[in-house]
Structure formats: structure tokens, C-alpha cells
């Protein structure tokens, strides 16, 4: 696929990192020659110095033959105008824009073909806020990713000694928690002086304390899945898992402000404190945020400030500044002083890999929270959702099975007979969702019967039906094309 990326900043670099390894033909446009040179030294791509709103620059970048434009420059107006030119002058088929303004949300008439001609609006701050909200809803989880419109979830959780499934083989899962349908699709295990190692899952695989376990299940079953793997050390014997109520946010930038606004609007009784080092920014935040949000002027790495504000009572400490080092240091300090759980926003992948799952419970890369929204447009076949996992190494894909037994390698076949790559894990099926490709039904007086979708944890005998939404866990991106090929239908289907 020929892809033009506008912007070589943090988001642009993360997009490049995800797409270049898949043998796409990528050209990056930016006005900063040094940034482009750094990308060209690291990746196999072409850099072009210039403005993305200049038609001549777009033409030199290969816009007439491009399949996709991803506009992720710093300014909304640059990205919007670039998409309009790409559509009007060059008719690039797919145009994606990073836009912060709420006025240009997906579905607005301002971004349709009569407006700025944007096929998909991406807002990293919104994606990040939505991601953090899921972690607040499920405080034991390290990641929570949704499929099939939220009916199914992929969660990762740190296995804790004493939990029902820990120190047992996967084959014993049904005996340990018989009332919780789930599928363990991957385990990552940390060995001394080594990065986490992927452990392929089979019936004989044993879940050990400290493992990061990836599990697929229906959304309604996720709380019980987490309790089966993670025993909260802060609760007493027989007491329920403690929810997140007291939250401290270090950093009053766009993400911190948006998150504080939404927490206050949720009506869930959250007690929120925001710390920022800028006096003027604190005044601005105090005027914008609801009165129940406490804004504090200070340094989140100040031990005295954290102690004065009761850090030992905080359920979740969020370090959301633009400085990786400050986020790491403030999170480590908050954890040492008694915060129950800490999350650090870390842009550098190497830092995130070092810190994730250590004293810092969750090391979150901003770009990884939204990169899946872009990948869904790059994938071949009827891919409905993509979630980038393990800092971009692994993926969870939701693919719609199409065709019939004659035209498909998937439909009409039992799970045991599917020819997927050996390490790709067939996770679950969501059956009964409306088919977006189906023609409208003829007008009749009788309404069509409503059938609730089913979330199915398949067995080896389960037969795949047309329009099933299949969720597959892929531990290595090099396997993606083989998975897409398996779901491809023959030309006769169309």
C-alpha cells in the first residue's frame, strides 16, 4: 500500500513505526528536515521537506498514486486542508486526519466529502482518555480492548499468587472457574535480566504468579475474569475488589484536563486532584473544571506535596505530563509513598518497555492507544477493529467471516480444521450482529425479529458461519498477512 504521512512528530513517528514493518511504501512530509533525516536513518521510507497543504509537494510525494493519506501534523487546520486537497486534486481513496477540536468529530458534516473530505478523524487525546477510563472501570487490568461494539473484550492482567487460576494449567480452567466462559490467548513471562517472553498457550500451559495474561471474554464476564487471575492485595479476606474513587492527575495539559472533565461528568463520585507546575495554567484549569475537581499548583515529584495531599489514600495516580522522565519519577515516588496503583504516560517505546509492570503498574504509550484506529484502514479483508498490543509487537483483530464453504477457507468449517498460522490464537466469535453489507429488507408490516448477539467461546467442533465476527490474537506482526489470507474469499464471492 502506498501511504503518505503528513507530520514527523511523535504521532507521525508512531504511525511510521507501525506501518513500515508491514512493507508499505511510505512517504513522510514535514517542514523539519532534521526530523525527516532521523526517520530516514531509522526506517525504510522517503522523507520530503515541505508543506502538506502545497499541492506541488503532495504531487512530488506521489499523491496521484497514493492509496492513503494520514495527516497527523501538529495543527488541525493543516491536517483538514491537506485532506481536502488530497480528495479534490488527487482523489486519494482514504484520508485520515488527526484533529483535536470537538467541532470536527467523526460524523460531522464539516468532515464529509462536501466539507474537508476526511474519511476518519483521529484524536489521540480522546483515544487516550477513553483508554484510561476503561482502566478505571477495571482497576485490576493492565489493558482493556473492546471488540464487536463493546460486546467482547480482550484484557491483560498480572497474575497474582492465591487467585483461583494462578498455579493451574489452562486445561483446568473450567474446573477452577466453571461459571466464567473465557479464553486465555497469550502469556508473557518475565525472566531474570530478559524482556518479557511470549509463552504459547495450550492445555498444559501453567499460569505462574507475575505472568501478564491476555484473556478474551464477553464484556459482562470481565470482572469475574479479573478476579480469577488477580487477587487484590488491598482487600481483606472475602471482601469485594476495591473500586477506584480517589484519583490524582499529574499534568494539566490537554489529556489531564479532558480526563478531569470527563471524570467529573461521569457522576460516579470520583475525588479528583490535578497537579500542574504552571501557575497560569492552574488558574485556567480552575476556571474550566467543575468545582469538585481540586487544582493544585506544584511539582508532582515533590515528596512533601504528595504527602500533604494524602498520596497514601490515592487509588490511581496518573502521570500525564509531556515529559517522560517526570512521569516516570513522579509515578515511582507516588508508588513508594503508598499510592495503590500508578500509570505513567511514556512516549519513548524503550522507556515504556523497561518500566511496564515493574514498580510502575502501567506504562502507557499515547500513540499505542490510538494506532489501532489507523490500522483497521490498512488491513486487508473485512477488518472491523484492530488493537495494537505489547508496544506494537502483537495485535488483536476482529475480522468478519464472509462467503460460504466454496468461496471461503473459514466459513462452514470447524475450528479444528482452520488453517491459521500456528501461533495465531483463535479467540472468540460474536454471532448475530447486523451485517453492514446486507441489503435493506423489503417493506413489510411485520417487524424483523430482534435476535440478541451471542459471544461464543468456541470449542474445536464449533463451525464458523457467514457474518461471524471472529477475534484473533496475533503475537507477531509478521503473521498478520497469513491471517488476512486465511479469511480472504475468492473472487466468485463478489
Amino acid at each position: 500500500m502506498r501511504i503518505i504521512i503528513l507530520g514527523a512528530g511523535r504521532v507521525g513517528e508512531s504511525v511510521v513505526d507501525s506501518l513500515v514493518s508491514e512493507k508499505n511504501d511510505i512517504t513522510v512530509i514535514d517542514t523539519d528536515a532534521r526530523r525527516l533525516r532521523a526517520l530516514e536513518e531509522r526506517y525504510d521510507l522517503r522523507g520530503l521537506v515541505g508543506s502538506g497543504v502545497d499541492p506541488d509537494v503532495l504531487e512530488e510525494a506521489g499523491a496521484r498514486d497514493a492509496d492513503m493519506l494520514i495527516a497527523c501534523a501538529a495543527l488541525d487546520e493543516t491536517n483538514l486542508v491537506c485532506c481536502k486537497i488530497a480528495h479534490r486534486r488527487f482523489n486519494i481513496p482514504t484520508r485520515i486526519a488527526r484533529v483535536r477540536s470537538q467541532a470536527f468529530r467523526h460524523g460531522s458534516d464539516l468532515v464529509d466529502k462536501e466539507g474537508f473530505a476526511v474519511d476518519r478523524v483521529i484524536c489521540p487525546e480522546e483515544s487516550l482518555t477513553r483508554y484510561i477510563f476503561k482502566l478505571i472501570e477495571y482497576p485490576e487490568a493492565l489493558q482493556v480492548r473492546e471488540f464487536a461494539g463493546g460486546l467482547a473484550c480482550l484484557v491483560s492482567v498480572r497474575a497474582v499468587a492465591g487467585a483461583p487460576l494462578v498455579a493451574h494449567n489452562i486445561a483446568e480452567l473450567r474446573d477452577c472457574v466453571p461459571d466464567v466462559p473465557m479464553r486465555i490467548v497469550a502469556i508473557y513471562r518475565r525472566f531474570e535480566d530478559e524482556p518479557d517472553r511470549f509463552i504459547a498457550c495450550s492445555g498444559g500451559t501453567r499460569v505462574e504468579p507475575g505472568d501478564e495474561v491476555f484473556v478474551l471474554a464477553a464484556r459482562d464476564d470481565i470482572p469475574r475474569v479479573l478476579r480469577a487471575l488477580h487477587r487484590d492485595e488491598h482487600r481483606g479476606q472475602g471482601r469485594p475488589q476495591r473500586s477506584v474513587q480517589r484519583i490524582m492527575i499529574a499534568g494539566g495539559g490537554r489529556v489531564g484536563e479532558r480526563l478531569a472533565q470527563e471524570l467529573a461528568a461521569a457522576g460516579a463520585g470520583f475525588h479528583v486532584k490535578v497537579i500542574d507546575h504552571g501557575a497560569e495554567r492552574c488558574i485556567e484549569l480552575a476556571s474550566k473544571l467543575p468545582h469538585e475537581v481540586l487544582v493544585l499548583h506544584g511539582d508532582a515529584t515533590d515528596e512533601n506535596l504528595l504527602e500533604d495531599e494524602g498520596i497514601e489514600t490515592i487509588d490511581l495516580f496518573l502521570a500525564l505530563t509531556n515529559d517522560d522522565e517526570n512521569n516516570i519519577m513522579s509515578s515511582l515516588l507516588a508508588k513508594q509513598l503508598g499510592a495503590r496503583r500508578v500509570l505513567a504516560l511514556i512516549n519513548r517505546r524503550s522507556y515504556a518497555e523497561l518500566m511496564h509492570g515493574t514498580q510502575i503498574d502501567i506504562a502507557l504509550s499515547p500513540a499505542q492507544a490510538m494506532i489501532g484506529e489507523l490500522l483497521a484502514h490498512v488491513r486487508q479483508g473485512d477488518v472491523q477493529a484492530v488493537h495494537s498490543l505489547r508496544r506494537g509487537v502483537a495485535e488483536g483483530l476482529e475480522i468478519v467471516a464472509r462467503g460460504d464453504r466454496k468461496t471461503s477457507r473459514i466459513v462452514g468449517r470447524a475450528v479444528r480444521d482452520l488453517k491459521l498460522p500456528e501461533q495465531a490464537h483463535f479467540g472468540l466469535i460474536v454471532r448475530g450482529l447486523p451485517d453492514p453489507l446486507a441489503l435493506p429488507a423489503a417493506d413489510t408490516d411485520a417487524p424483523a425479529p430482534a435476535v440478541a448477539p451471542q459471544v461464543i467461546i468456541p470449542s474445536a467442533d464449533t463451525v464458523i458461519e457467514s457474518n461471524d465476527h471472529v477475534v484473533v490474537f496475533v503475537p507477531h506482526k509478521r503473521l498478520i498477512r497469513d491471517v488476512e489470507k486465511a479469511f480472504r474469499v475468492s473472487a466468485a464471492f463478489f
Side-chain angles (χ1 to χ4, degrees):
M1 183 177 284
R2 294 186 175 93
I3 302 173
I4 297 175
I5 298 173
L6 173 61
R10 285 177 173 175
V11 175
E13 183 179 354
S14 297
V15 172
V16 166
D17 189 63
S18 292
L19 299 182
V20 77
S21 62
E22 301 177 21
K23 300 181 180 180
N24 294 295
D25 182 359
I26 294 177
T27 300
V28 182
I29 302 172
D30 199 283
T31 56
D32 190 327
R34 288 178 299 177
R35 283 182 175 176
L36 289 175
R37 193 178 306 116
L39 287 181
E40 287 177 313
E41 290 173 355
R42 290 177 58 194
Y43 303 104
D44 180 18
L45 54 80
R46 177 192 175 205
L48 181 61
V49 180
S51 170
V53 298
D54 185 338
D56 292 338
V57 172
L58 286 172
E59 181 151 17
E60 187 179 349
R64 294 198 182 278
D65 299 317
D67 301 300
M68 179 181 295
L69 168 73
I70 303 173
C72 49
L75 299 177
D76 288 1
E77 49 267 36
T78 301
N79 296 328
L80 292 168
V81 172
C82 183
C83 285
K84 185 65 176 178
I85 295 171
H87 170 64
R88 185 72 177 268
R89 179 68 65 88
F90 302 104
N91 198 29
I92 295 178
T94 303
R95 302 161 302 277
I96 301 172
R98 171 195 181 179
V99 180
R100 291 190 175 101
S101 173
Q102 299 293 306
F104 296 96
R105 283 187 172 181
H106 187 68
S108 166
D109 59 356
L110 295 173
V111 298
D112 64 17
K113 288 190 177 180
E114 300 302 318
F116 285 102
V118 180
D119 292 306
R120 179 73 187 182
V121 171
I122 301 294
C123 177
E125 292 85 2
E126 183 177 333
S127 300
L128 195 55
T129 303
R130 187 165 57 245
Y131 185 94
I132 294 173
F133 243 99
K134 282 295 170 188
L135 296 176
I136 293 172
E137 184 179 354
Y138 303 108
E140 304 89 0
L142 300 174
Q143 295 184 70
V144 182
R145 301 294 197 176
E146 293 185 328
F147 295 97
L151 291 174
C153 290
L154 174 66
V155 298
S156 72
V157 57
R158 186 74 59 190
V160 175
L165 283 181
V166 179
H168 289 277
N169 295 338
I170 291 177
E172 300 171 325
L173 186 150
R174 288 186 179 178
D175 296 330
C176 296
V177 281
D179 59 338
V180 186
M182 68 173 87
R183 173 65 49 79
I184 295 178
V185 293
I187 292 173
Y188 288 85
R189 184 168 297 161
R190 178 160 295 180
F191 295 87
E192 187 175 356
D193 299 326
E194 291 184 28
D196 290 3
R197 187 187 302 170
F198 170 72
I199 306 294
C201 292
S202 63
T205 305
R206 182 182 172 93
V207 179
E208 300 287 357
D211 286 351
E212 183 175 354
V213 185
F214 283 79
V215 188
L216 277 163
R219 178 183 56 196
D220 293 342
D221 292 327
I222 292 302
R224 293 184 294 169
V225 168
L226 294 172
R227 287 196 293 271
L229 287 161
H230 186 95
R231 180 178 57 84
D232 191 344
E233 64 272 21
H234 288 77
R235 62 171 174 157
Q237 186 68 28
R239 293 174 60 190
Q241 299 281 66
R242 176 178 158 193
S243 63
V244 171
Q245 289 296 315
R246 298 181 181 275
I247 300 171
M248 183 177 288
I249 300 172
R254 289 189 181 92
V255 176
E257 179 186 346
R258 182 190 288 265
L259 182 60
Q261 287 275 16
E262 296 194 12
L263 287 169
F270 294 116
H271 302 280
V272 182
K273 296 180 180 180
V274 180
I275 302 175
D276 197 89
H277 68 274
E280 292 185 4
R281 178 58 176 165
C282 286
I283 293 172
E284 184 181 355
L285 287 171
S287 65
K288 288 182 176 180
L289 295 174
H291 65 87
E292 60 264 30
V293 177
L294 180 61
V295 179
L296 303 168
H297 175 223
D299 186 347
T301 61
D302 183 342
E303 180 177 352
N304 292 329
L305 173 62
L306 295 182
E307 287 181 336
D308 290 344
E309 294 303 324
I311 188 65
E312 72 280 359
T313 68
I314 295 298
D315 297 316
L316 181 61
F317 178 89
L318 303 164
L320 305 179
T321 74
N322 291 322
D323 188 299
D324 287 356
E325 288 81 2
N326 275 349
N327 289 341
I328 291 171
M329 294 306 297
S330 62
S331 296
L332 290 173
L333 180 60
K335 189 73 170 183
Q336 181 182 353
L337 294 176
R340 176 185 168 210
R341 199 163 178 81
V342 299
L343 178 150
L345 200 61
I346 303 177
N347 288 282
R348 297 186 189 180
R349 174 182 290 185
S350 58
Y351 283 12
E353 290 175 351
L354 282 172
M355 302 310 302
H356 181 73
T358 58
Q359 297 96 328
I360 293 177
D361 298 294
I362 303 172
L364 177 59
S365 167
Q368 290 302 318
M370 48 71 67
I371 200 71
E373 298 177 47
L374 296 175
L375 293 176
H377 293 274
V378 179
R379 296 285 173 257
Q380 299 175 8
D382 196 350
V383 176
Q384 296 295 301
V386 178
H387 292 303
S388 181
L389 307 164
R390 300 293 304 177
R391 271 72 69 193
V393 175
E395 285 188 10
L397 296 98
E398 176 191 344
I399 311 178
V400 181
R402 297 291 185 191
D404 53 30
R405 189 172 175 84
K406 292 182 178 180
T407 59
S408 169
R409 300 179 181 91
I410 299 293
V411 176
R413 289 166 173 79
V415 170
R416 65 159 55 90
D417 299 324
L418 300 183
K419 305 299 182 184
L420 291 177
E422 184 178 352
Q423 291 187 328
H425 208 114
F426 192 100
L428 58 73
I429 298 167
V430 182
R431 181 170 293 167
L433 288 170
D435 185 353
L437 299 183
L439 296 173
D443 290 336
T444 60
D445 294 333
V451 179
Q454 292 178 278
V455 177
I456 301 169
I457 305 296
S459 66
D461 298 324
T462 303
V463 176
I464 312 302
E465 299 180 2
S466 182
N467 197 44
D468 279 352
H469 288 235
V470 178
V471 180
V472 181
F473 179 88
V474 185
H476 304 292
K477 291 187 72 170
R478 65 176 181 270
L479 304 175
I480 294 291
R481 295 303 181 205
D482 292 334
V483 173
E484 292 174 338
K485 183 178 179 180
F487 278 82
R488 194 177 301 157
V489 294
S490 69
F493 175 59
F494 297 99

